[in-house]
């Protein structure tokens, strides 16, 4: 069975709430969705997934230090994440507080791993991934669930 791992860091719970909505989307698409806090996730978990969706709070316009350390640790499995599907989500304190640059930081790491990053063409936003300003409202949670569904659908398609 295909599997999508949703891995996140969250200090005050906003990114965690988003992660729960993302994994609901994965499961809605009948794909095995695994939800893990960053400090519970192993590198083997990354290798074992067909799709990886990473969430971090926005800290100074980028990922949190904790998430950066997790990403840095993944250098030891370079080459093993190639061709997996990737996507990102973040929670920021303000609207123009650097949430899109945070998504791009996550996406950069995925590209360096040789992953395939999924964008979203819809005019409603979420082009680079899902964002929430502060505690996610219903609209933000919908974007998160849609992100999970779209990644899971693509993973299924590629699995043939
Ligand atoms: C060290 C630190 C740096 C932050 N930097 C930013 C920032 O650059 N831009 C922003 O909009 N919010 C910033 N915030 C606010 C967080 O992104 C925001 O509170 C977020 O919702 C926290 O997510 P969490 O509840 O998952 O921990 C920062 C918060 C902390 C603690």
């Amino acid at each position: 069975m295909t599997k999508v791992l949703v891995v996140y860091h969250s200090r005050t719970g906003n990114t965690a709430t988003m992660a729960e909505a993302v994994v609901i989307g994965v499961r809605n698409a009948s794909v095995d969705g695994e939800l893990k806090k960053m400090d519970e996730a192993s590198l083997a978990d990354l290798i074992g997934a067909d799709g990886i969706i990473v969430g971090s709070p926005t800290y100074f316009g980028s990922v949190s230090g904790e998430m950066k350390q997790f990403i840095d640790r993944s250098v030891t499995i370079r080459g093993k994440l190639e061709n997996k599907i990737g996507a990102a989500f973040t929670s920021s304190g303000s609207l123009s507080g650097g949430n899109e640059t945070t998504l791009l930081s996550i996406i950069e790491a995925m590209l360096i791993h040789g992953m395939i990053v999924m964008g979203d063409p819809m005019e409603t936003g979420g082009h680079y991934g899902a964002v929430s300003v502060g505690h996610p409202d219903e609209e933000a949670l919908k974007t998160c669930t849609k992100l999970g569904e779209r990644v899971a659908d693509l993973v299924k398609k590629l699995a043939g």
Side-chain angles (χ1 to χ4, degrees):
M1 194 182 176
T2 47
K3 186 194 272 191
V4 172
L5 173 70
V6 179
V7 58
Y8 68 94
H9 173 239
S10 180
R11 199 182 291 179
T12 52
N14 296 331
T15 316
T17 304
M18 296 176 80
E20 282 159 16
V22 172
V23 83
I24 286 171
V26 173
R27 293 171 186 161
N28 284 350
S30 306
V31 165
D32 183 10
E34 194 171 12
L35 180 64
K36 289 219 168 170
K37 287 182 192 154
M38 187 206 66
D39 49 11
E40 291 169 350
S42 67
L43 296 177
D45 289 326
L46 297 176
I47 295 169
D50 305 289
I52 302 168
I53 311 179
V54 174
S56 169
T58 292
Y59 283 1
F60 289 90
S62 189
V63 292
S64 64
E66 290 90 333
M67 180 53 76
K68 180 64 166 68
Q69 279 181 351
F70 183 70
I71 291 169
D72 287 354
R73 275 213 320 273
S74 72
V75 74
T76 55
I77 54 166
R78 198 159 56 90
K80 297 208 165 97
L81 305 184
E82 196 177 357
N83 296 337
K84 295 182 189 293
I85 307 300
F89 59 99
T90 186
S91 167
S92 63
S94 63
L95 185 59
S96 54
N99 47 33
E100 289 195 328
T101 47
T102 302
L103 296 178
L104 290 173
S105 299
I106 296 170
I107 288 169
E108 271 173 10
M110 290 176 166
L111 292 174
I112 289 167
H113 271 298
M115 292 174 61
I116 302 160
V117 174
M118 199 198 62
D120 187 336
M122 295 310 288
E123 282 166 20
T124 46
H127 299 313
Y128 302 116
V131 300
S132 167
V133 178
H135 191 70
D137 60 11
E138 209 176 305
E139 207 49 47
L141 291 177
K142 259 194 228 162
T143 316
C144 292
T145 302
K146 191 180 86 171
L147 182 77
E149 282 171 358
R150 291 184 74 249
V151 168
D153 282 341
L154 185 56
V155 162
K156 276 195 296 192
K157 216 179 271 181
L158 292 184

